[in-house]
Amino acid sequence: QVQLVESGGGLVQPGGSLRLSCAASGRIFSINAMGWYRQAPGKQRELVASITSGSRFSYAAFVKGRFTISRDNANNTVYLQMTSLKPEDTAVYYCNAAISPYGSFSYTYWGQGTQVTVSS
């Protein structure tokens, strides 16, 4: 069984910063891409940022220059450093990872989500 556990969400004022963490545990042979998605009330889930096992990353246009994704392969953890937060960044943020439990097929796993609220 594979689990993704997020942490680091909370309430922050506009212009503030937060750092999200997501740790993968369980039966893991290898982890390929990892990423962060978000879903605001009444909206579809959208990709925020992703990073490959070789640390190649990509960002949604709406977070470029403000968010930074990174990963610690030794600890199966991915991070999202968020700065210059705006009220429109308010959403539940989900961690996502493509994990191969046994070295053959890769499966997509999701975390339970962590709430980020940007408000004064």
Side-chain angles (χ1 to χ4, degrees):
Q1 189 78 343
V2 174
Q3 284 189 318
L4 298 180
V5 178
E6 300 119 332
S7 60
L11 173 65
V12 63
Q13 292 187 341
S17 300
L18 280 175
R19 189 192 195 208
L20 306 183
S21 300
C22 172
S25 62
R27 188 66 178 91
I28 298 172
F29 179 84
S30 63
I31 302 179
N32 301 314
M34 303 184 81
W36 290 95
Y37 287 70
R38 71 184 188 185
Q39 187 167 19
K43 295 188 176 181
Q44 289 190 329
R45 191 172 297 190
E46 59 186 357
L47 176 65
V48 176
S50 65
I51 185 168
T52 68
S53 57
S55 294
R56 295 179 65 182
F57 46 80
S58 63
Y59 296 96
F62 55 77
V63 301
K64 276 185 177 178
R66 299 189 298 125
F67 293 7
T68 303
I69 190 169
S70 61
R71 64 190 282 173
D72 177 352
N73 291 328
N75 292 299
N76 297 330
T77 301
V78 63
Y79 304 96
L80 186 68
Q81 178 69 49
M82 305 185 293
T83 64
S84 301
L85 283 161
K86 306 174 182 179
E88 51 264 44
D89 294 318
T90 296
V92 177
Y93 284 70
Y94 295 91
C95 175
N96 166 284
I99 296 174
S100 177
Y102 301 102
S104 54
F105 298 107
S106 180
Y107 303 92
T108 298
Y109 294 89
W110 292 90
Q112 81 286 355
T114 185
Q115 177 70 47
V116 172
T117 302
V118 185
S119 175
S120 55

